[in-house]
Amino acid sequence: MSETLSKLSTAVIEGDLEVMEDLTSQALDEGKEAQEVLNEGLMPGMDHVGVEFKAGNMFVPEVLRSARAMQASMSILRPLLTESGVELAGKVLLGTVKGDLHDIGKNLVAMMCEGAGFEVKDLGKDVEPDVFVEGVRDFGPDVLGMSALLTTTMRAMEHTIKSIEEAGLRDQVKILIGGAPVTQSFADQIGADGYASNAASAADLAKKLISA
Ligand code: B1M
C-alpha cells in the first residue's frame, strides 16, 4: 500500500477529520483511482474499526469520529465513483422504524455499510412503512435495514415487512433488522432475512445476504 493510502487508513482509525480531505486529494493527485483510495485506504481503516468495535476495544464516540472522517473523504470520492460507473458492493436502504426516534445505532450501521463499499440511502428515523415501500421501489436496494430501540416499536418492523409483501416487492430485497431489543428469533418470527447485533456485523451480514 502507498504511504498516502496507509496514512488515510490510519487517519480513519484515529478519526482524524482534519487530514482527510488533504490526504484524499493527495492520493488522487498521485494518480490513484477513486476506487483504489476507497478499497485500499478507507476500507482497511474502517474494517479495523469494525473489528475493534466488535471486540469492545473501541466505543461509540470513537466509531462516530472514524465514520465522520471517512465521510469527509467519501464526499470527495463519491462523485468520482459515480462518474466512473464503479460497481459498489450493492445498495442498502436504511431507516429507524415508525414511532422510534433513536438513530445513533442506525447511523453507525449506515457508516459501517458505507465503509464496506455499499451505496447507502438513509430514510432517517420514525419512518412509516409506506415510506420504506416507496424507498424500495425508487432506490432499488439489495438490502433494506431497519432499526428499532423500543420494545413498543419493534412491531413496526413486522408491519413494514407486510407492507413490502403487499406491494409485491418482497422478493426484490433482503431484509436485515437490528437494535437493542431485537433478536434472531424475532427476526425469524417476522420473516426478516437476517439480524445483526451491532453495526459492524450488519455490514458483514448485508454482504453475505447479497452473495447468498
Ligand atoms: Co431512549 N430509550 N427513549 N432516547 N435511549 C432507550 C432505548 C432505553 C433502553 C432507556 C432505558 O429505559 N434504559 C428505553 C427503551 C426501553 C424499551 O423499550 N425496552 C428508552 C426509552 C424508554 C425512551 C423514551 C420512551 C423515553 C421517554 O420519552 N419516556 C423516548 C422514546 C422516543 C421515541 O423513540 N419515540 C426515548 C428518547 C431518547 C432520546 C431521543 C432522548 C435519545 C435518542 C437520541 C438519538 O438516537 N438521536 C435516547 C437515547 C440516547 C437512549 C439510550 C440512552 C441510548 C441509545 C443509543 O443510542 N445507544 C438508550 C439506553 C441505552 O441503550 N443505554 C435508550 C448507542 C447505540 C450505538 O446503540 O442504538 O443499540 P444502539 O445500536 C447498536 C445495536 O443495537 C445495533 O448496532 C448498534 C451499534 O453496534 N443496531 C443495529 C442498531 N440498529 C441496528 C440495525 C441493524 C443492525 C444492528 O440492521 C439494520
Side-chain angles (χ1 to χ4, degrees), residues 53 60 94 99-106 108-109 125 145-147 149-152 176-180 196-199 202:
F53 183 53
V60 171
L94 284 175
D100 202 318
L101 302 177
H102 297 86
D103 65 357
I104 297 170
K106 183 263 300 164
L108 279 176
V109 174
K125 54 197 169 187
M146 288 186 277
S147 178
L149 261 286
L150 300 171
T151 43
T152 49
L176 162 62
I177 63 171
S197 63
N198 62 59

Side-chain angles (χ1 to χ4, degrees), residues 43 46-47 50-51 53-54 89-92 94 105-118 120 143 145 176-177 195-211:
M43 280 171 38
M46 213 51 183
D47 283 347
V51 170
F53 183 53
K54 256 197 254 182
K91 291 185 183 182
V92 174
L94 284 175
K106 183 263 300 164
N107 293 345
L108 279 176
V109 174
M111 290 160 181
M112 285 295 177
C113 286
E114 196 158 78
F118 285 99
V120 175
V143 176
L176 162 62
I177 63 171
Y195 155 75
S197 63
N198 62 59
S201 308
D204 289 347
L205 185 55
K207 280 198 168 164
K208 279 194 200 119
L209 287 173
I210 289 180
S211 58

Side-chain angles (χ1 to χ4, degrees), residues 14-15 53 58-68 104 108:
E14 293 176 351
F53 183 53
M58 277 181 87
F59 301 98
V60 171
E62 293 160 294
V63 177
L64 288 175
R65 262 202 303 278
S66 293
R68 269 195 290 273
I104 297 170
L108 279 176

